[in-house]
Amino acid sequence: MNGLVVKSVNPIWHYGLKGYLNERNVKLETAKKYCKEVHYSCKGNHYFGIGLQNDSGGWELRNKYFKSASSPKDITFLFNGCK
């Protein structure tokens, strides 16, 4: 374990995260479909970021200043109707 603990998972709300998505050219409606606003702690400090949940329940986490993941690590399969 990397010491990262997820505290809460909510719809994307924070203006800073919306700005980050805009900088990355990700439309808010697309992000809201696949991602969440994840609040987490690491080494006693509290943070938040955009989270994409993987197939095992872990999270890929990103914000303007941080890029990491929570355990367990796994792939993320997004079904879009194609065979």
Side-chain angles (χ1 to χ4, degrees), residues 2 7-8 10 12-13 18 21 27 36-37 42 44 49 51-52 54 60-61 65-66 69-70 73:
N2 59 6
K7 298 293 189 179
S8 67
N10 305 298
I12 299 169
W13 177 82
K18 291 178 182 178
L21 290 168
K27 292 184 180 196
K36 297 290 184 183
E37 180 173 320
C42 185
L52 175 66
N54 67 37
E60 296 297 322
L61 300 166
Y65 308 102
F66 186 78
S70 70
K73 291 287 287 174

Side-chain angles (χ1 to χ4, degrees), residues 15-73:
Y15 67 91
L17 295 178
K18 291 178 182 178
Y20 172 71
L21 290 168
N22 187 53
E23 289 174 16
R24 304 284 302 177
N25 295 314
V26 176
K27 292 184 180 196
L28 184 58
E29 56 269 15
T30 302
K32 285 185 174 183
K33 184 176 180 180
Y34 297 106
C35 302
K36 297 290 184 183
E37 180 173 320
V38 180
H39 291 251
Y40 56 94
S41 64
C42 185
K43 299 180 183 176
N45 296 309
H46 300 281
Y47 305 99
F48 60 94
I50 300 293
L52 175 66
Q53 193 168 33
N54 67 37
D55 291 351
S56 291
W59 292 90
E60 296 297 322
L61 300 166
R62 306 287 185 275
N63 66 35
K64 189 173 182 176
Y65 308 102
F66 186 78
K67 178 175 151 178
S68 189
S70 70
S71 296
K73 291 287 287 174

